[in-house]
Amino acid sequence: PGVRTRYSVVYLHGFSATRQEIAPTAERVADRLGANLFETRLTGHGHGRLPMHEVRAEDWLADGVEALGIGAAIGDEVIVIGTSTGSTLALALADHELMQQVAALILISPNMAPADPKALWLTRPAGPLLARLIAGNTRSWTAHNAEQERYWSTSYPTDATVEVMRLVDLAGRRAAQPLPPPVLMMLSPDDSVISPARARTTFDELDAPHKKLVEFADSSDPSSHILAGRILSPDTTGRVVDDIVRFVEASVEQGTH
């Protein structure tokens, strides 16, 4: 406590989730690197009542800037780990000056497009209105277990999904720009939440000093989306931690940052 470390680890969770999403993955990465750790909570998340109520993509962008700033304050070089829309948020901030202090960007199951292609209409003219007409004012889904029910919001305004797609659109544009840090992307070819094909296309388009794609086919998450963590994928947590630490260490050795 109170000591600035060589590395700091910043965790950005996915839409409707919390920092428990892939826990203890970020904690174990930080322990292995001797790093301070900051796990943010995005606006509108973690509320028992009215989760994601009246949130905007701009709120999450501000949260991301705050998280990068805290990471830079508690470590010389920042390791950013994002899951799903947390990865989207990280890429949306690619041109921010604080990204210059990021030593590695870890994108787990990045949401560069949802699995359902109809979601792409949400940011088009009349898209939000059509979403409410078709899906109603609230979107709900069923958790896979009691822990996911506790740490995720399983019911939220349909309008919040529009804000996710606004962030996806921005990240897609920013991902085509040069990225200062090396990038490790992890995904499952069987992911039923995001589009693995679009994530791979984004990886191919990334202009980073060093990049690596790792595919997981053995996640125990029924959606093949959350690739680590005690709640949905405990058996692959160690592998994810090892891959992240090796990537960070190799990137430093290669002098890519």
Side-chain angles (χ1 to χ4, degrees):
V3 176
R4 182 183 174 93
T5 49
R6 175 183 180 182
Y7 294 117
S8 63
V9 174
V10 169
Y11 182 65
L12 304 174
H13 64 75
F15 177 68
S16 84
T18 62
R19 68 182 182 85
Q20 295 291 342
E21 182 178 40
I22 62 167
T25 304
E27 292 92 326
R28 289 174 61 180
V29 169
D31 284 343
R32 291 270 296 274
L33 294 173
N36 285 321
L37 170 67
F38 176 71
E39 298 176 285
T40 196
R41 180 174 68 169
L42 300 179
T43 299
H45 291 70
H47 292 280
R49 292 183 64 252
L50 301 176
M52 271 75 76
H53 182 64
E54 296 184 348
V55 293
R56 301 273 292 170
E58 289 81 359
D59 297 324
W60 300 329
L61 289 167
D63 294 335
V65 170
E66 177 191 57
L68 290 177
I70 291 172
I74 61 178
D76 297 328
E77 297 182 273
V78 184
I79 312 300
V80 176
I81 304 174
T83 299
S84 193
T85 303
S87 295
T88 316
L89 174 58
L91 284 175
L93 295 170
D95 65 345
H96 196 279
E97 61 182 3
L98 285 169
M99 194 60 71
Q100 297 295 330
Q101 288 187 248
V102 175
L105 189 56
I106 315 299
L107 309 176
I108 302 175
S109 304
N111 178 18
M112 302 312 297
D116 184 355
K118 293 192 295 294
L120 299 176
W121 285 88
L122 290 176
T123 54
R124 297 182 182 181
L129 176 60
L130 286 172
R132 288 191 293 271
L133 288 173
I134 295 171
N137 292 325
T138 303
R139 181 179 186 273
S140 300
W141 51 278
T142 302
H144 293 304
N145 58 40
E147 288 288 270
Q148 189 177 36
E149 179 71 30
R150 178 181 182 184
Y151 290 114
W152 275 253
S153 296
T154 58
S155 184
Y156 43 78
T158 302
D159 286 348
T161 62
V162 177
E163 299 306 310
V164 171
M165 290 309 302
R166 290 182 64 223
L167 199 64
V168 168
D169 288 350
L170 176 60
R173 296 193 299 272
R174 296 277 169 81
Q177 301 174 7
L179 277 168
V183 178
L184 171 64
M185 182 181 291
M186 299 179 172
L187 58 82
S188 168
D190 303 314
D191 197 320
S192 61
V193 177
I194 58 109
S195 166
R198 181 56 203 161
R200 291 190 196 97
T201 299
T202 298
F203 177 81
D204 291 339
E205 294 172 347
L206 290 175
D207 181 8
H210 173 55
K211 60 183 180 180
K212 182 178 181 180
L213 176 63
V214 176
E215 297 205 10
F216 285 72
D218 51 357
S219 165
S220 56
D221 175 14
S223 300
S224 298
H225 184 59
I226 304 301
L227 303 182
R230 62 180 179 80
I231 296 176
L232 290 171
S233 292
D235 293 341
T236 47
T237 300
R239 179 182 163 193
V240 169
V241 171
D242 287 344
D243 283 351
I244 293 173
V245 172
R246 280 198 296 264
F247 181 79
V248 171
E249 292 175 342
S251 296
V252 171
E253 289 175 4
Q254 292 172 10
T256 55
H257 186 267

